[in-house]
């Protein structure tokens, strides 16, 4: 089959690889019809992780079930399914508590949490390919309604970024009527903005510097904060009568940089602590893995953050972080799409073939104007 494989930093190609196939009785085999490029793919793409050459990318997968193992009794051939990016077994100690983001069976014995097409997440093949093997298929596959094909660009957000944005807001502790600031207007930040609106936020502010992304935030009623035009913290204070936002979400991660070139300003966690009120809450979903070896900040090069814990402590704030447990939210979010309450496809900028993926990675990695969310359609 054809798949998008890693050859080295910023070098990917569509290559012929052995077909994905049923290996265990509880496996499900899916013909991929949509698989998205994610900001998380860039950690591997840019060569900042231990991603082995020849591995297949892709953790935002949706498709049609074409074969099921003998132990599968719920999912059937012909079902259209969304596949959470977390690989999870459903019966380990963590999965039993709903922590499918830290499944103990999907990774090495001293690790927790698996994912398709990721470094350090269990070595599972990704779905930027013609076919994908889903282990523990009954537990993992989320069946989609009859309109799955027409609304594929909406449902495709269920495997990662919509539940991840939702999780960021959930961890911030937002309740209806509160204000929230979201750092990062990429796909994840935009999904957090949508989630905050659905959850009843009185005011949603999105910080970024790319006009196209800020415009998408504005389209769903969020207030765009352009940090190339001045301090984002000052702008948030102005928006909130000097009190700070009630809640905050971090949707940038390792790659944060300051348009004015001030490295002290670049760590969005510190900007969040400064932008959120005393006793407020913060949800952090941005991933902190090592930056480029050339990055000026030595700690950041190791994937560590110069976090201002003193201010965080003094303000009595709370913070949640980590991978999103997609299964906790994807059923409800699917229903919101099915009933036309939300349409997350508003951020899709491109539908492309698998063969066009290498070019798409280049544009998305460069944050080229208009390349917000790329959906690959292998079939
Ligand atoms: P993205 O790179 O497309 O978006 C990040 C945005 O942040 C960009 O638009 C960029 O301009 C902006 N930005 C950079 N520096 C900034 C700063 N100092 N202040 C404000 N904005 C700044 O990526 P994405 O796909 O939206 O993903 C965002 C992060 O979420 C990544 O780190 C990704 O790995 C992570 N992620 C986490 C999970 C999870 O489960 N926790 C799931 C998916 C993605
Ligand atoms: Zn993703």
């Amino acid at each position: 089959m054809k798949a998008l494989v890693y050859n080295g930093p910023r070098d990917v190609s569509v290559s012929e690889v052995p077909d994905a196939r049923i290996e265990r009785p509880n496996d499900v085999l899916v013909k991929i019809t949509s698989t998205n490029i994610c900001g998380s793919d860039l950690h591997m793409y840019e060569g900042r992780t231990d991603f082995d050459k020849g591995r297949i990318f892709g953790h935002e997968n949706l498709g049609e079930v074409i074969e099921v193992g003998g132990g599968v009794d719920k999912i059937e051939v012909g079902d259209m399914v969304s596949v959470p990016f977390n690989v999870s077994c459903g019966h380990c100690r963590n999965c039993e508590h709903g922590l499918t983001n830290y499944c103990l069976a999907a990774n090495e014995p001293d690790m927790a949490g698996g994912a398709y097409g990721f470094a350090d997440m269990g070595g599972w093949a990704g779905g930027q390919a013609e076919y994908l093997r889903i282990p523990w298929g009954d537990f993992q596959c989320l069946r989609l309604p009859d309109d799955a094909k027409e609304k594929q660009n909406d449902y495709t957000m269920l495997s990662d970024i919509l539940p991840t944005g939702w999780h960021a807001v959930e961890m911030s502790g937002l309740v209806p009527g509160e204000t929230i600031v979201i750092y990062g207007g990429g796909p994840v930040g935009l999904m957090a903005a949508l989630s905050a609106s659905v959850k009843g936020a009185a005011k949603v502010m999105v910080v970024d510097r790319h006009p196209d992304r800020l415009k998408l935030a504005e389209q769903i009623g969020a207030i765009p904060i352009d940090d190339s035009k001045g301090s984002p913290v000052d702008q948030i204070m102005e928006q909130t009568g000097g009190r700070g936002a009630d809640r905050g979400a971090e949707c940038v991660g390792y790659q944060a940089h300051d348009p004015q070139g001030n490295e002290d300003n670049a760590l969005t966690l510190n900007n969040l602590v400064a932008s959120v009120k005393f006793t407020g809450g913060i949800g952090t979903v941005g991933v902190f893995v090592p930056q480029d070896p050339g990055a000026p900040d030595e700690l950041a090069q190791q994937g560590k953050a110069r976090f201002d814990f003193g201010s965080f402590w003094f303000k009595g704030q709370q913070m949640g972080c980590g991978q999103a447990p997609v299964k906790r939210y994807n059923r409800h979010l699917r229903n919101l799409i099915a009933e036309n309450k939300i349409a997350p496809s508003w951020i899709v900028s491109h539908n492309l073939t698998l063969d066009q993926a290498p070019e798409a990675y280049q544009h998305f990695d460069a944050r080229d104007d208009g390349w917000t969310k790329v959906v690959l359609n292998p079939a």
Side-chain angles (χ1 to χ4, degrees):
M1 66 173 185
K2 284 200 296 189
L4 186 79
V5 300
Y6 180 67
N7 303 318
R10 293 192 166 87
D11 179 3
V12 294
S13 60
V14 177
S15 304
E16 200 57 42
V17 301
D19 279 354
R21 55 180 181 85
I22 300 284
E23 294 176 23
R24 296 194 299 214
N26 50 19
D27 287 351
V28 160
L29 192 65
V30 170
K31 181 170 84 176
I32 297 296
T33 57
S34 82
T35 174
N36 318 325
I37 300 179
C38 176
S40 295
D41 289 319
L42 301 181
H43 307 313
M44 277 80 68
Y45 178 75
E46 292 175 4
R48 283 174 292 90
T49 64
D50 292 330
F51 201 49
D52 290 331
K53 289 181 182 168
R55 285 201 55 197
I56 306 172
F57 282 86
H59 59 271
E60 303 195 357
N61 303 310
L62 182 158
E64 183 182 343
V65 174
I66 54 163
E67 193 182 339
V68 299
V72 172
D73 55 18
K74 194 178 79 185
I75 295 298
E76 293 171 357
V77 170
D79 284 347
M80 290 296 292
V81 294
S82 165
V83 186
F85 80 84
N86 325 102
V87 179
S88 60
C89 71
H91 49 70
C92 71
R93 197 169 67 241
N94 285 349
C95 282
E96 275 184 348
H97 288 88
L99 300 169
T100 55
N101 42 345
Y102 293 101
C103 173
L104 295 167
N107 206 329
E108 308 300 320
D110 57 341
M111 300 273 277
Y116 301 92
F118 243 94
D120 300 322
M121 301 281 281
W124 304 94
Q128 288 171 11
E130 290 180 280
Y131 304 100
L132 179 67
R133 169 191 164 228
I134 316 293
W136 301 293
D138 270 338
F139 183 68
Q140 288 213 70
C141 294
L142 176 74
R143 203 182 272 128
L144 298 173
D146 291 345
D147 60 3
K149 285 196 175 129
E150 290 149 56
K151 287 199 209 155
Q152 183 159 259
N153 274 357
D154 293 307
Y155 290 120
T156 195
M157 304 307 169
L158 288 172
S159 52
D160 180 355
I161 62 167
L162 179 54
T164 294
W166 190 274
H167 188 53
V169 178
E170 187 84 8
M171 290 192 296
S172 81
L174 180 100
V175 297
E178 288 188 324
T179 58
I180 184 166
V181 54
I182 292 156
Y183 274 83
V188 172
L190 292 168
M191 290 298 138
L194 175 67
S195 301
S197 298
V198 173
K199 283 166 164 281
K203 193 176 214 175
V204 180
M205 296 157 280
V206 175
V207 183
D208 206 302
R209 67 292 305 261
H210 291 289
D212 56 330
R213 295 180 172 205
L214 290 171
K215 205 162 162 193
L216 288 167
E218 216 172 355
Q219 281 172 12
I220 53 160
I223 293 166
I225 306 282
D226 185 341
D227 67 351
S228 67
K229 303 243 162 80
S231 152
V233 177
D234 291 350
Q235 295 185 65
I236 301 299
M237 286 301 159
E238 211 169 289
Q239 287 285 344
T240 56
R243 285 185 302 276
D246 295 311
R247 310 286 158 183
E250 205 289 347
C251 303
V252 183
Y254 82 93
Q255 82 273 45
H257 63 278
D258 179 60
Q260 268 88 33
N262 178 355
E263 284 302 317
D264 285 339
N265 241 344
L267 187 67
T268 46
L269 286 174
N270 291 341
N271 283 341
L272 267 162
V273 170
S275 303
V276 170
K277 70 175 184 185
F278 279 69
T279 75
I282 297 170
T284 298
V285 290
V287 173
F288 287 80
V289 294
Q291 288 196 6
D292 289 323
D297 182 330
E298 267 177 48
L299 270 181
Q301 284 176 27
Q302 301 161 27
K304 295 176 181 156
R306 275 186 297 144
F307 179 50
D308 178 5
F309 185 73
S311 298
F312 177 68
W313 183 92
F314 186 66
K315 292 181 90 170
Q317 295 173 341
Q318 293 168 49
M319 189 188 298
C321 60
Q323 305 278 355
V326 169
K327 262 190 83 84
R328 192 179 298 168
Y329 313 113
N330 66 356
R331 191 174 301 271
H332 294 158
L333 293 169
R334 173 199 64 188
N335 296 349
L336 289 176
I337 294 171
E339 299 301 333
N340 300 315
K341 297 283 189 206
I342 55 171
S345 60
W346 104 98
I347 69 160
V348 174
S349 56
H350 296 77
N351 279 100
L352 301 175
T353 63
L354 193 57
D355 289 329
Q356 291 170 301
E359 187 198 337
Y361 265 84
Q362 267 178 22
H363 288 293
F364 184 65
D365 184 45
R367 311 271 167 349
D368 279 344
D369 211 26
W371 288 77
T372 319
K373 188 69 179 173
V374 178
V375 178
L376 302 171
N377 301 115

